[in-house]
Amino acid sequence: MPSYIVMSIDTTEVSDPSALSGLQLLRAAMAEPDPDRPGIWRLLGMSAKQIDEGRVSFAVTPQADFANPLGTVHGGICATLLDSVMGCAVHTTLPAGVGYTTLELKINYIRSVAVDAGELTATGTVIHVGGRTATAEGKVFSDDGKLVAHGTTTCIVFR
């Protein structure tokens, strides 16, 4: 089952993660993160702030290694954050055993972000979930509350 979550689930309580709905799986992962498991979460230092049905929020604090040649945060950081929150927002609406992956991603960058500007927070919200596709929108805000980037996604749903 494709998934963007790379945190672990306590296998003493959950013997089969595919038996969990997307919302249950993401909440379990948030409650029991595994800092030693490789993945995008660990690589970027991403943390989950909110996981509700159809809406998630994740944050990351930029590091010097996130800089582009101009010395500001590389756009790929916001792209990854948006892809994660929008995809996971879709995931929270899916029943057990149903997977998804990003089919299309559209991003608008509003302003640059200094590498030392503090935490970036992204929120993803589901727009529509159908039998084969789902859409969501997302926004990234700087530590001072300014909109940095926003986007939309279309995900393909595997039933």
Side-chain angles (χ1 to χ4, degrees):
M1 174 169 101
S3 177
Y4 289 98
I5 291 299
V6 292
M7 297 188 292
S8 72
I9 295 172
D10 183 357
T11 55
T12 61
E13 294 181 24
V14 181
S15 60
D16 182 8
S18 69
L20 299 175
S21 71
L23 181 61
Q24 291 169 324
L25 181 66
L26 292 173
R27 283 185 172 166
M30 184 174 137
E32 301 270 342
D34 181 355
D36 296 325
R37 185 168 179 180
I40 198 68
W41 284 73
R42 187 176 82 178
L43 181 67
L44 296 183
M46 202 180 302
S47 62
K49 299 293 184 184
Q50 173 190 10
I51 298 178
D52 292 318
E53 185 169 350
R55 184 176 174 89
V56 301
S57 181
F58 301 155
V60 66
T61 300
Q63 312 166 24
D65 287 336
F66 294 2
N68 62 26
L70 298 173
T72 58
V73 173
H74 188 280
I77 300 301
C78 286
T80 301
L81 200 48
L82 283 167
D83 189 35
S84 296
V85 296
M86 293 186 296
C88 286
V90 166
H91 195 183
T92 65
T93 68
L94 301 178
V98 176
Y100 71 97
T101 194
T102 301
L103 188 61
E104 179 183 56
L105 183 65
K106 165 74 169 92
I107 300 170
N108 294 307
Y109 296 98
I110 306 304
R111 61 179 39 89
S112 62
V113 178
V115 187
D116 62 355
E119 187 175 74
L120 294 173
T121 302
T123 300
T125 307
V126 167
I127 298 170
H128 168 79
V129 178
R132 296 285 295 149
T133 61
T135 58
E137 62 187 359
K139 296 179 180 177
V140 179
F141 294 94
S142 59
D143 203 32
D144 61 2
K146 292 182 180 173
L147 182 65
V148 172
H150 61 93
T152 56
T153 192
T154 302
C155 295
I156 188 164
V157 176
F158 307 114
R159 295 191 186 267

